[in-house]
Amino acid sequence: SSSGSGSSSFRRKPVIIIVVGMAGSGKTTLMHRLVCHTHLKDIRGYVVNLDPAVMTLPYAANIDVRDTVKYKEVMKQFNLGPNGGILTSLNLFATKFDEVISVIEKRADQLDYVLVDTPGQIEIFTWSASGAIITEAFASTFPTVVAYVVDTPRSEDPTTFMSNMLYACSILYKTRLPLILTFNKVDVAAHQFALEWMEDFEAFQTAASSDHSYSSTLTQSLSLVLDEFYNNLKSVGVSAVSGVGMEAFFNAVEASAEEYMETY
Ligand code: GTP
């Protein structure tokens, strides 16, 4: 069922988009915007929610972890705090993830994209066994890309910028999947500064040197290492609120899916 020139025997569609980002980066708002965009443009989308603890979602999910696992009951049953509850709920869901994959496989011919929302506490997904199992299950069946959402206004602070880049870098090397740096909230601050910092680490070092703390020294050394990492990335600026950048986002997804088809 594959098409195109890639040597891969995977299906070309749907492309899985795993959306991750630090709490407050605007992940949920962006998911909502992406879902709206697919409706508007007649793109055939499917939505998977992997956040067991989210109270209300602004969009309708086709597959929702909350239908299968009751997070509050898991907390009670296993005597866990909130984070342990989310982690255990995701572990329980991961054991049945082959069912999720077959549901998507059955609909594959009618789908362009599957948008996957992940828990608000990013490390619960990126550093857990279940997160790895779920990512691997997707990536071994469909072209899969990661959208790493960045809070652009907050990242104008060089140390916050560096924290975000290190996190994204660790996700890239852990998942080995194409990664799209998705600079969100460009209605508040344009992401031009970030592109400049990624292109020219001396410009970044100059910005960082105004901060004389220890972490600033560390930050400056790390920027050299990250140079190589930046070469492996795509970056887009978006606003979940204004809707700017949606075309650029899906273009980056398409290019990343191509990359996936050539590599895997
Ligand atoms: P979860 O933790 O997964 O629930 O999502 P999140 O915390 O990453 O992001 P959420 O969507 O809850 O957004 C956090 C805050 O950022 C909210 O106050 C949003 O209104 C705001 N926000 C999100 N996207 C944008 C944007 O593009 N522009 C502006 N100005 N604000 C935004």
Side-chain angles (χ1 to χ4, degrees), residues 136-208:
E136 178 56 31
F138 276 133
S140 60
T141 321
F142 307 104
T144 304
V145 307
V146 175
Y148 182 84
V149 186
V150 180
D151 185 326
T152 309
R154 282 200 60 200
S155 297
E156 285 182 304
D157 169 50
T159 307
T160 305
F161 176 81
M162 184 54 70
S163 302
N164 258 309
M165 293 307 114
L166 286 176
Y167 214 109
C169 182
S170 66
I171 291 169
L172 179 80
Y173 291 124
K174 189 163 191 282
T175 64
R176 308 208 160 264
L177 294 171
L179 190 137
I180 303 164
L181 277 180
T182 309
F183 288 98
N184 188 30
K185 312 193 187 184
V186 296
D187 58 300
V188 178
H191 70 302
Q192 189 58 38
F193 73 89
L195 298 180
E196 278 162 24
W197 286 353
M198 287 192 282
E199 202 136 287
D200 174 5
F201 68 80
E202 284 182 353
F204 176 77
Q205 287 187 331
T206 305

Side-chain angles (χ1 to χ4, degrees), residues 46 62-63 97-108 111 142:
Y46 208 62
N62 300 93
I63 298 174
F97 211 72
D98 54 326
E99 291 172 32
V100 173
I101 297 292
S102 42
V103 167
I104 298 169
E105 271 185 313
K106 284 202 191 90
R107 287 169 175 71
L111 295 176
F142 307 104

Side-chain angles (χ1 to χ4, degrees), residues 22-29 51 118-120 184-185 187-188 238-241:
M22 303 254 187
S25 60
K27 215 161 46 60
T28 301
T29 316
D51 189 348
T118 58
N184 188 30
K185 312 193 187 184
D187 58 300
V188 178
V238 300
S239 167
V241 165

Side-chain angles (χ1 to χ4, degrees), residues 10-12 14-19 101 114 116 125 134-147 175-180 253 256-261 264:
F10 290 133
R11 287 172 175 277
R12 173 70 187 78
V15 178
I16 313 287
I17 309 169
I18 301 175
V19 182
I101 297 292
V114 177
V116 183
F125 187 77
I134 289 169
T135 304
E136 178 56 31
F138 276 133
S140 60
T141 321
F142 307 104
T144 304
V145 307
V146 175
T175 64
R176 308 208 160 264
L177 294 171
L179 190 137
I180 303 164
V253 168
S256 299
E258 285 303 318
E259 192 188 307
Y260 178 99
M261 297 301 283
Y264 299 89

